[in-house]
Amino acid sequence: MSQENATGEPVILARIGKPHGLKGWLKLNSFTSPPSNLLNFQCFTVIGGAPEQVLEIDASSVSGDSITAHFPGYDDPESARALTGLALAVASEDLPALPAGEYYWHELEGLAVSNSQGELYGTVLRLMDTGAHDVLVVSPGADSIDDRQRLIPWRFGTVVIDVDLQAGTMTVDWDRDFLE
């Protein structure tokens, strides 16, 4: 699954992990699929630190799903440690356009979810990767049919019938009595 959001809002693509080695390299926890797609971007806005800053990767290494990178000016473990835990983001308009019927997760978060009978289940709180398929975590709201949180498989065309980003809605073929 995967967006195009014209708001320019930052989209978090990774979190900086612990230092690796003696020259300021850091482990990166990529949220992209595959993880190495993170390296399609070189410049990131750092979220979680003050003041806001921009970091540019000047060197990187990939081994399987593990990514390590170096940022200029962070040349030893002590200085690099200051970046640990911070998020790396890009503007949403910098993400590649997707084919019809594909969405970035951040586009789906916040959509109102109803079944094909028009019953409102709530809004998409987040998505989870379960290995077999992604799962929508739908949180109830004041106008929902009940107060149950629902876990609905992201299976576009079978379970998820329609996504309307402009209207902020999603229609699912998911009975109100299905187990979570």
Side-chain angles (χ1 to χ4, degrees), residues 144-163:
S144 300
I145 60 169
D146 56 31
D147 62 354
R148 291 176 51 197
Q149 183 178 67
R150 288 178 166 77
L151 302 177
I152 301 174
W154 171 264
R155 298 183 65 196
F156 195 76
T158 56
V159 175
V160 177
I161 304 305
D162 183 58
V163 172

PDB file of all heavy atoms in Angstrom, residues 144-163:
ATOM      1  N   SER A 144     -20.283   7.248  15.856  1.00  0.00           N
ATOM      2  CA  SER A 144     -20.140   5.844  15.458  1.00  0.00           C
ATOM      3  C   SER A 144     -21.323   5.021  15.953  1.00  0.00           C
ATOM      4  O   SER A 144     -21.992   5.397  16.921  1.00  0.00           O
ATOM      5  CB  SER A 144     -18.846   5.258  16.025  1.00  0.00           C
ATOM      6  OG  SER A 144     -17.742   5.973  15.543  1.00  0.00           O
ATOM      7  N   ILE A 145     -21.539   3.874  15.307  1.00  0.00           N
ATOM      8  CA  ILE A 145     -22.675   3.023  15.681  1.00  0.00           C
ATOM      9  C   ILE A 145     -22.503   2.369  17.050  1.00  0.00           C
ATOM     10  O   ILE A 145     -23.480   1.956  17.666  1.00  0.00           O
ATOM     11  CB  ILE A 145     -22.951   1.935  14.622  1.00  0.00           C
ATOM     12  CG1 ILE A 145     -21.729   1.027  14.453  1.00  0.00           C
ATOM     13  CG2 ILE A 145     -23.374   2.557  13.319  1.00  0.00           C
ATOM     14  CD1 ILE A 145     -22.003  -0.213  13.625  1.00  0.00           C
ATOM     15  N   ASP A 146     -21.264   2.248  17.519  1.00  0.00           N
ATOM     16  CA  ASP A 146     -20.991   1.698  18.841  1.00  0.00           C
ATOM     17  C   ASP A 146     -19.619   2.190  19.298  1.00  0.00           C
ATOM     18  O   ASP A 146     -19.014   3.030  18.639  1.00  0.00           O
ATOM     19  CB  ASP A 146     -21.085   0.160  18.847  1.00  0.00           C
ATOM     20  CG  ASP A 146     -20.166  -0.508  17.832  1.00  0.00           C
ATOM     21  OD1 ASP A 146     -19.076   0.047  17.534  1.00  0.00           O
ATOM     22  OD2 ASP A 146     -20.523  -1.579  17.322  1.00  0.00           O
ATOM     23  N   ASP A 147     -19.148   1.674  20.419  1.00  0.00           N
ATOM     24  CA  ASP A 147     -17.862   2.143  20.951  1.00  0.00           C
ATOM     25  C   ASP A 147     -16.745   1.118  20.769  1.00  0.00           C
ATOM     26  O   ASP A 147     -15.760   1.132  21.484  1.00  0.00           O
ATOM     27  CB  ASP A 147     -18.001   2.538  22.416  1.00  0.00           C
ATOM     28  CG  ASP A 147     -18.423   1.371  23.302  1.00  0.00           C
ATOM     29  OD1 ASP A 147     -18.715   0.278  22.769  1.00  0.00           O
ATOM     30  OD2 ASP A 147     -18.460   1.561  24.526  1.00  0.00           O
ATOM     31  N   ARG A 148     -16.884   0.244  19.767  1.00  0.00           N
ATOM     32  CA  ARG A 148     -15.886  -0.792  19.512  1.00  0.00           C
ATOM     33  C   ARG A 148     -14.789  -0.307  18.576  1.00  0.00           C
ATOM     34  O   ARG A 148     -15.067   0.294  17.542  1.00  0.00           O
ATOM     35  CB  ARG A 148     -16.544  -2.007  18.860  1.00  0.00           C
ATOM     36  CG  ARG A 148     -17.478  -2.764  19.769  1.00  0.00           C
ATOM     37  CD  ARG A 148     -18.176  -3.894  19.062  1.00  0.00           C
ATOM     38  NE  ARG A 148     -17.221  -4.747  18.356  1.00  0.00           N
ATOM     39  CZ  ARG A 148     -17.576  -5.600  17.409  1.00  0.00           C
ATOM     40  NH1 ARG A 148     -18.837  -5.717  17.035  1.00  0.00           N
ATOM     41  NH2 ARG A 148     -16.670  -6.344  16.809  1.00  0.00           N
ATOM     42  N   GLN A 149     -13.551  -0.592  18.955  1.00  0.00           N
ATOM     43  CA  GLN A 149     -12.448  -0.393  18.018  1.00  0.00           C
ATOM     44  C   GLN A 149     -12.449  -1.602  17.089  1.00  0.00           C
ATOM     45  O   GLN A 149     -12.654  -2.724  17.529  1.00  0.00           O
ATOM     46  CB  GLN A 149     -11.114  -0.293  18.753  1.00  0.00           C
ATOM     47  CG  GLN A 149      -9.953  -0.027  17.827  1.00  0.00           C
ATOM     48  CD  GLN A 149      -8.646   0.109  18.558  1.00  0.00           C
ATOM     49  OE1 GLN A 149      -8.154  -0.866  19.126  1.00  0.00           O
ATOM     50  NE2 GLN A 149      -8.096   1.313  18.559  1.00  0.00           N
ATOM     51  N   ARG A 150     -12.243  -1.353  15.802  1.00  0.00           N
ATOM     52  CA  ARG A 150     -12.267  -2.442  14.830  1.00  0.00           C
ATOM     53  C   ARG A 150     -10.921  -2.567  14.133  1.00  0.00           C
ATOM     54  O   ARG A 150     -10.275  -1.572  13.846  1.00  0.00           O
ATOM     55  CB  ARG A 150     -13.357  -2.200  13.796  1.00  0.00           C
ATOM     56  CG  ARG A 150     -14.744  -2.406  14.360  1.00  0.00           C
ATOM     57  CD  ARG A 150     -15.828  -2.124  13.329  1.00  0.00           C
ATOM     58  NE  ARG A 150     -17.113  -2.615  13.759  1.00  0.00           N
ATOM     59  CZ  ARG A 150     -17.875  -2.025  14.658  1.00  0.00           C
ATOM     60  NH1 ARG A 150     -17.490  -0.910  15.231  1.00  0.00           N
ATOM     61  NH2 ARG A 150     -19.043  -2.545  14.997  1.00  0.00           N
ATOM     62  N   LEU A 151     -10.543  -3.808  13.871  1.00  0.00           N
ATOM     63  CA  LEU A 151      -9.364  -4.113  13.068  1.00  0.00           C
ATOM     64  C   LEU A 151      -9.884  -4.670  11.753  1.00  0.00           C
ATOM     65  O   LEU A 151     -10.483  -5.749  11.721  1.00  0.00           O
ATOM     66  CB  LEU A 151      -8.466  -5.123  13.787  1.00  0.00           C
ATOM     67  CG  LEU A 151      -7.972  -4.705  15.166  1.00  0.00           C
ATOM     68  CD1 LEU A 151      -7.140  -5.820  15.800  1.00  0.00           C
ATOM     69  CD2 LEU A 151      -7.171  -3.419  15.093  1.00  0.00           C
ATOM     70  N   ILE A 152      -9.673  -3.918  10.685  1.00  0.00           N
ATOM     71  CA  ILE A 152     -10.234  -4.283   9.382  1.00  0.00           C
ATOM     72  C   ILE A 152      -9.090  -4.488   8.397  1.00  0.00           C
ATOM     73  O   ILE A 152      -8.245  -3.610   8.230  1.00  0.00           O
ATOM     74  CB  ILE A 152     -11.194  -3.174   8.878  1.00  0.00           C
ATOM     75  CG1 ILE A 152     -12.334  -2.973   9.893  1.00  0.00           C
ATOM     76  CG2 ILE A 152     -11.738  -3.524   7.497  1.00  0.00           C
ATOM     77  CD1 ILE A 152     -13.260  -1.819   9.569  1.00  0.00           C
ATOM     78  N   PRO A 153      -9.046  -5.656   7.743  1.00  0.00           N
ATOM     79  CA  PRO A 153      -7.953  -5.901   6.802  1.00  0.00           C
ATOM     80  C   PRO A 153      -8.000  -4.928   5.621  1.00  0.00           C
ATOM     81  O   PRO A 153      -9.073  -4.641   5.093  1.00  0.00           O
ATOM     82  CB  PRO A 153      -8.169  -7.334   6.334  1.00  0.00           C
ATOM     83  CG  PRO A 153      -9.482  -7.765   6.854  1.00  0.00           C
ATOM     84  CD  PRO A 153      -9.982  -6.768   7.828  1.00  0.00           C
ATOM     85  N   TRP A 154      -6.826  -4.420   5.241  1.00  0.00           N
ATOM     86  CA  TRP A 154      -6.731  -3.582   4.052  1.00  0.00           C
ATOM     87  C   TRP A 154      -6.630  -4.524   2.855  1.00  0.00           C
ATOM     88  O   TRP A 154      -5.568  -5.029   2.515  1.00  0.00           O
ATOM     89  CB  TRP A 154      -5.510  -2.658   4.112  1.00  0.00           C
ATOM     90  CG  TRP A 154      -5.299  -1.971   2.803  1.00  0.00           C
ATOM     91  CD1 TRP A 154      -4.449  -2.364   1.809  1.00  0.00           C
ATOM     92  CD2 TRP A 154      -5.977  -0.825   2.294  1.00  0.00           C
ATOM     93  NE1 TRP A 154      -4.552  -1.525   0.723  1.00  0.00           N
ATOM     94  CE2 TRP A 154      -5.497  -0.566   1.004  1.00  0.00           C
ATOM     95  CE3 TRP A 154      -6.963   0.018   2.814  1.00  0.00           C
ATOM     96  CZ2 TRP A 154      -5.939   0.485   0.232  1.00  0.00           C
ATOM     97  CZ3 TRP A 154      -7.399   1.077   2.036  1.00  0.00           C
ATOM     98  CH2 TRP A 154      -6.893   1.295   0.766  1.00  0.00           C
ATOM     99  N   ARG A 155      -7.763  -4.776   2.251  1.00  0.00           N
ATOM    100  CA  ARG A 155      -7.813  -5.608   1.045  1.00  0.00           C
ATOM    101  C   ARG A 155      -8.695  -4.857   0.062  1.00  0.00           C
ATOM    102  O   ARG A 155      -9.908  -5.046   0.026  1.00  0.00           O
ATOM    103  CB  ARG A 155      -8.339  -6.991   1.388  1.00  0.00           C
ATOM    104  CG  ARG A 155      -7.387  -7.693   2.375  1.00  0.00           C
ATOM    105  CD  ARG A 155      -7.756  -9.073   2.724  1.00  0.00           C
ATOM    106  NE  ARG A 155      -7.672  -9.909   1.535  1.00  0.00           N
ATOM    107  CZ  ARG A 155      -8.228 -11.106   1.469  1.00  0.00           C
ATOM    108  NH1 ARG A 155      -8.879 -11.598   2.489  1.00  0.00           N
ATOM    109  NH2 ARG A 155      -8.129 -11.810   0.361  1.00  0.00           N
ATOM    110  N   PHE A 156      -8.041  -3.978  -0.692  1.00  0.00           N
ATOM    111  CA  PHE A 156      -8.760  -3.105  -1.613  1.00  0.00           C
ATOM    112  C   PHE A 156      -9.451  -3.924  -2.690  1.00  0.00           C
ATOM    113  O   PHE A 156      -8.845  -4.796  -3.303  1.00  0.00           O
ATOM    114  CB  PHE A 156      -7.803  -2.086  -2.251  1.00  0.00           C
ATOM    115  CG  PHE A 156      -8.513  -0.951  -2.925  1.00  0.00           C
ATOM    116  CD1 PHE A 156      -9.070   0.066  -2.173  1.00  0.00           C
ATOM    117  CD2 PHE A 156      -8.638  -0.905  -4.298  1.00  0.00           C
ATOM    118  CE1 PHE A 156      -9.737   1.116  -2.781  1.00  0.00           C
ATOM    119  CE2 PHE A 156      -9.302   0.134  -4.911  1.00  0.00           C
ATOM    120  CZ  PHE A 156      -9.856   1.155  -4.150  1.00  0.00           C
ATOM    121  N   GLY A 157     -10.735  -3.644  -2.882  1.00  0.00           N
ATOM    122  CA  GLY A 157     -11.516  -4.358  -3.889  1.00  0.00           C
ATOM    123  C   GLY A 157     -12.347  -5.487  -3.314  1.00  0.00           C
ATOM    124  O   GLY A 157     -13.312  -5.909  -3.939  1.00  0.00           O
ATOM    125  N   THR A 158     -11.961  -6.000  -2.143  1.00  0.00           N
ATOM    126  CA  THR A 158     -12.766  -7.048  -1.503  1.00  0.00           C
ATOM    127  C   THR A 158     -13.338  -6.549  -0.182  1.00  0.00           C
ATOM    128  O   THR A 158     -14.543  -6.500  -0.014  1.00  0.00           O
ATOM    129  CB  THR A 158     -11.964  -8.344  -1.291  1.00  0.00           C
ATOM    130  OG1 THR A 158     -10.794  -8.048  -0.548  1.00  0.00           O
ATOM    131  CG2 THR A 158     -11.589  -8.992  -2.606  1.00  0.00           C
ATOM    132  N   VAL A 159     -12.486  -6.162   0.761  1.00  0.00           N
ATOM    133  CA  VAL A 159     -12.958  -5.629   2.039  1.00  0.00           C
ATOM    134  C   VAL A 159     -13.133  -4.113   1.932  1.00  0.00           C
ATOM    135  O   VAL A 159     -14.164  -3.573   2.311  1.00  0.00           O
ATOM    136  CB  VAL A 159     -11.996  -5.992   3.197  1.00  0.00           C
ATOM    137  CG1 VAL A 159     -12.440  -5.326   4.489  1.00  0.00           C
ATOM    138  CG2 VAL A 159     -11.913  -7.498   3.373  1.00  0.00           C
ATOM    139  N   VAL A 160     -12.134  -3.428   1.415  1.00  0.00           N
ATOM    140  CA  VAL A 160     -12.224  -1.978   1.232  1.00  0.00           C
ATOM    141  C   VAL A 160     -12.801  -1.740  -0.165  1.00  0.00           C
ATOM    142  O   VAL A 160     -12.164  -2.048  -1.168  1.00  0.00           O
ATOM    143  CB  VAL A 160     -10.847  -1.299   1.386  1.00  0.00           C
ATOM    144  CG1 VAL A 160     -10.955   0.193   1.124  1.00  0.00           C
ATOM    145  CG2 VAL A 160     -10.270  -1.572   2.769  1.00  0.00           C
ATOM    146  N   ILE A 161     -14.010  -1.208  -0.187  1.00  0.00           N
ATOM    147  CA  ILE A 161     -14.738  -1.041  -1.446  1.00  0.00           C
ATOM    148  C   ILE A 161     -14.406   0.285  -2.121  1.00  0.00           C
ATOM    149  O   ILE A 161     -14.280   0.357  -3.334  1.00  0.00           O
ATOM    150  CB  ILE A 161     -16.266  -1.113  -1.192  1.00  0.00           C
ATOM    151  CG1 ILE A 161     -16.629  -2.418  -0.489  1.00  0.00           C
ATOM    152  CG2 ILE A 161     -17.043  -0.940  -2.488  1.00  0.00           C
ATOM    153  CD1 ILE A 161     -16.170  -3.671  -1.177  1.00  0.00           C
ATOM    154  N   ASP A 162     -14.278   1.351  -1.324  1.00  0.00           N
ATOM    155  CA  ASP A 162     -14.056   2.668  -1.911  1.00  0.00           C
ATOM    156  C   ASP A 162     -13.259   3.538  -0.950  1.00  0.00           C
ATOM    157  O   ASP A 162     -13.452   3.468   0.266  1.00  0.00           O
ATOM    158  CB  ASP A 162     -15.403   3.344  -2.210  1.00  0.00           C
ATOM    159  CG  ASP A 162     -15.231   4.697  -2.884  1.00  0.00           C
ATOM    160  OD1 ASP A 162     -14.601   4.747  -3.958  1.00  0.00           O
ATOM    161  OD2 ASP A 162     -15.696   5.703  -2.310  1.00  0.00           O
ATOM    162  N   VAL A 163     -12.376   4.349  -1.512  1.00  0.00           N
ATOM    163  CA  VAL A 163     -11.643   5.361  -0.754  1.00  0.00           C
ATOM    164  C   VAL A 163     -11.838   6.675  -1.496  1.00  0.00           C
ATOM    165  O   VAL A 163     -11.570   6.756  -2.694  1.00  0.00           O
ATOM    166  CB  VAL A 163     -10.132   5.025  -0.665  1.00  0.00           C
ATOM    167  CG1 VAL A 163      -9.360   6.172  -0.041  1.00  0.00           C
ATOM    168  CG2 VAL A 163      -9.921   3.738   0.113  1.00  0.00           C
TER     169      VAL A 163
END
